Amino acid sequence: MAKHAHILIQHAEVADGTGAPRFDADIAIIDDRIAFVGDCSHWTADQRIDARGLVVSPGFIDTHTHDDRLLLSSNSMEPKVSQGVTTVITGNCGISLAPTPQRLQAPITPPLDLLDGEGDWFTHPTFQSYVDALQQQPAATNCAPLVGHTTLRIVAMSALDRPATADELTRMKALLREAMQAGAIGLSTGLAYDPAIAASTEEVIELAKVAAEFGGVYCTHLRDESDHVMDALEEAFRIGREANLPVVISHHKVAGKNNFGRSTETLERIRQQMGVQDICLDCYPYAASSTVLSVKHASSALKVLVTWSKSCPDMAGRDLADIQKEWQCSLEEAVGRLQPAGAIYHRMDDADVSRILAFDDTMIGSDGLPHDAVPHPRLWGSFPRVLGHYSRERGLFSFEKAIHKMTGLSAQKFGLRDRGFIRDGAYADLVILHADTVAEASSFARPIAPAIGIETVLVNGKIVWNAGQTTDARPGHVLSREAVTP
């Protein structure tokens, strides 16, 4: 008797997420799982997809996002599914949408305003209530949420310009423990930002210990990514070591012209430390960053583009230098008049970006900001840019290695069981793409544009993107952290 699949992908070239060479196979899907990878010529199916001339890979895992609100406010997740992303890690850089026992009021403290500037979405008093909302209104992608240290500070502390008191730390630990019990996968920090910069290393260690009780991970936007990057790395290593949990160095970079080339130094130190503790890193494939607008960042950037401004919304998309000329004012005055605002900063060297991307244990994260009026193109283009520009055009690594960095490696490091690989029994998170043409269409001039060459995307066995359009399917799950075998 012939076996029956709900969806049968035929004549595919499979890049299975391990980094091994591609191979020809059919893929049979039953419900939300891959039932069989191999010759399915005798299977029957409700739906057949002819993948002749196409590559099928695991769905991409965006290891660094700020999609906490997007999952609820625009759950088609078009910026992500259009480039093949099927799972997003949220709550990065110390900012998460929950928990907020007292509803936050406008103006929202930066950088939390990158998620919501008015306070309309900071409505989840517990982390469980946020998870419940995600489960009651599923998105097109899966998500694995982190808890933000800055969010905990803002809701637990009476002043942010100092380390937490013992009572405040006790309250933060209680909030974090509830979040971990609700399914959060770990703790994130953004120690470079004003609300967290006064936090002591010991404060973070005590919180990280709570995350470690639940098998969590520690993700960190380092305290410094420029002149003092080596000291910041050592602090991150210490936190992971003393709290006994894995460390993820978020969007690793060396910023500022005087630091160009220092990735050789940082990567060597990371490689050394990997020998004694669990450490990995992610990177986005651009030499420009994006966050809140500040004089500090703008003064060390080669070019600054305004991505949004509450006080001067018509300035979104403009070059800050041109705004200064038009207003005939100093950098400090222009930044002040635009507040609250966000910006893109050209502060990195592509040689460093390439070196970090090529590092064996570097995962791919977009760090996209979905609520910016004129966002950084990484929001829509990070994953196809890795495949097209860095792999196919520049030969930085093989196509299979690129896929591994965006799938299997990320699943292993974040503990996403049965994700990131194409094999019997894995969840049917899949991307069908044109390997010879896949590329980003987004650019700094035109940042909102679906990728080229992404044909079909499936999440948990449901098609969420097909022939250039989203579908009505919303099959995303809230994922927990578990041990993963290669």
Side-chain angles (χ1 to χ4, degrees), residues 258-272:
N258 57 321
N259 292 299
F260 286 4
R262 291 191 69 194
S263 59
T264 56
E265 181 184 359
T266 62
L267 291 174
E268 179 56 32
R269 183 68 189 96
I270 290 169
R271 182 183 287 107
Q272 291 173 356

Side-chain angles (χ1 to χ4, degrees), residues 114 202 205 313 326 408 468 474:
L114 295 175
E202 290 73 19
I205 290 170
E326 184 176 313
R474 302 289 182 269

Side-chain angles (χ1 to χ4, degrees), residues 293 295 306 309 311-312 315 319-325 327-339 341:
L293 178 63
V295 172
V306 176
S309 169
S311 55
C312 304
M315 294 297 153
D319 189 311
L320 183 60
D322 292 340
I323 295 172
Q324 282 181 249
K325 290 177 183 177
W327 289 351
Q328 296 184 332
C329 68
S330 67
L331 171 67
E332 290 78 8
E333 184 180 345
V335 169
R337 286 174 63 177
L338 289 164
Q339 295 296 337

Side-chain angles (χ1 to χ4, degrees), residues 6 9 64 109 182 212 220 288 298 356 385 402:
H6 291 138
I9 302 173
H64 190 101
T109 303
T220 180
I356 294 167
R385 180 171 172 81

Side-chain angles (χ1 to χ4, degrees), residues 152-471:
L152 296 177
R153 292 192 110 232
I154 286 172
V155 301
M157 295 180 62
S158 61
L160 298 172
D161 59 351
R162 55 172 174 75
T165 65
D167 287 346
E168 289 167 342
L169 184 56
T170 296
R171 187 174 181 213
M172 284 194 283
K173 289 167 75 172
L175 290 168
L176 177 56
R177 184 167 283 108
E178 182 277 329
M180 297 302 297
Q181 290 170 336
I185 65 166
L187 172 72
S188 80
T189 55
L191 298 173
Y193 290 108
D194 287 345
I197 202 165
S200 66
T201 306
E202 290 73 19
E203 174 184 314
V204 181
I205 290 170
E206 288 306 303
L207 290 168
K209 286 178 179 178
V210 174
E213 291 173 18
F214 297 86
V217 66
Y218 173 60
C219 299
T220 180
H221 176 150
L222 295 173
R223 198 179 287 274
D224 192 290
E225 296 178 313
S226 51
D227 296 352
H228 303 288
V229 64
M230 296 303 294
D231 292 336
L233 280 174
E234 295 302 330
E235 179 185 40
F237 300 157
R238 179 190 165 197
I239 292 166
R241 190 168 58 247
E242 295 194 20
N244 193 29
L245 81 176
V247 175
V248 178
I249 306 300
S250 294
H251 47 54
H252 183 46
K253 65 176 75 71
V254 283
K257 192 171 182 180
N258 57 321
N259 292 299
F260 286 4
R262 291 191 69 194
S263 59
T264 56
E265 181 184 359
T266 62
L267 291 174
E268 179 56 32
R269 183 68 189 96
I270 290 169
R271 182 183 287 107
Q272 291 173 356
Q273 199 63 21
M274 282 177 170
V276 296
Q277 69 182 104
D278 192 346
I279 297 168
C280 60
L281 65 157
D282 63 50
C283 179
Y284 50 79
Y286 295 87
S289 61
S290 184
T291 185
V292 293
L293 178 63
S294 72
V295 172
K296 178 183 176 182
H297 282 87
S299 61
S300 63
L302 304 176
K303 182 179 181 179
V304 181
L305 299 173
V306 176
T307 56
W308 62 277
S309 169
K310 281 288 184 181
S311 55
C312 304
D314 56 323
M315 294 297 153
R318 296 278 306 276
D319 189 311
L320 183 60
D322 292 340
I323 295 172
Q324 282 181 249
K325 290 177 183 177
E326 184 176 313
W327 289 351
Q328 296 184 332
C329 68
S330 67
L331 171 67
E332 290 78 8
E333 184 180 345
V335 169
R337 286 174 63 177
L338 289 164
Q339 295 296 337
I344 292 168
Y345 302 97
H346 292 262
R347 301 175 65 224
M348 294 175 276
D349 182 32
D350 187 62
D352 285 311
V353 175
S354 298
R355 193 175 294 117
I356 294 167
L357 284 171
F359 188 72
D360 276 349
D361 288 287
T362 299
M363 306 172 290
I364 307 302
S366 71
D367 198 15
L369 298 172
H371 312 298
D372 284 6
V374 184
H376 191 303
R378 66 192 182 185
L379 176 67
W380 290 77
S382 288
F383 292 81
R385 180 171 172 81
V386 170
L387 292 172
H389 178 68
Y390 283 102
S391 175
R392 187 181 63 245
E393 295 175 8
R394 291 189 46 192
L396 198 62
F397 31 62
S398 70
F399 180 89
E400 292 85 354
K401 180 70 172 180
I403 293 293
H404 174 63
K405 286 175 167 290
M406 304 192 299
T407 58
L409 176 64
S410 306
Q412 290 170 7
K413 296 299 184 181
F414 278 94
L416 306 180
R417 187 176 179 182
D418 293 337
R419 312 277 174 182
F421 299 98
I422 294 178
R423 59 190 178 199
D424 296 2
Y427 284 99
D429 295 347
L430 300 169
V431 181
I432 305 175
L433 58 86
H434 297 267
D436 294 337
T437 60
V438 63
E440 83 278 20
S442 59
S443 65
F444 290 102
R446 183 172 172 258
I448 299 175
I452 298 163
I454 303 293
E455 190 66 27
T456 304
V457 179
L458 297 91
V459 175
N460 296 315
K462 304 291 185 184
I463 296 173
V464 297
W465 177 265
N466 191 50
Q469 297 183 61
T470 57
T471 72

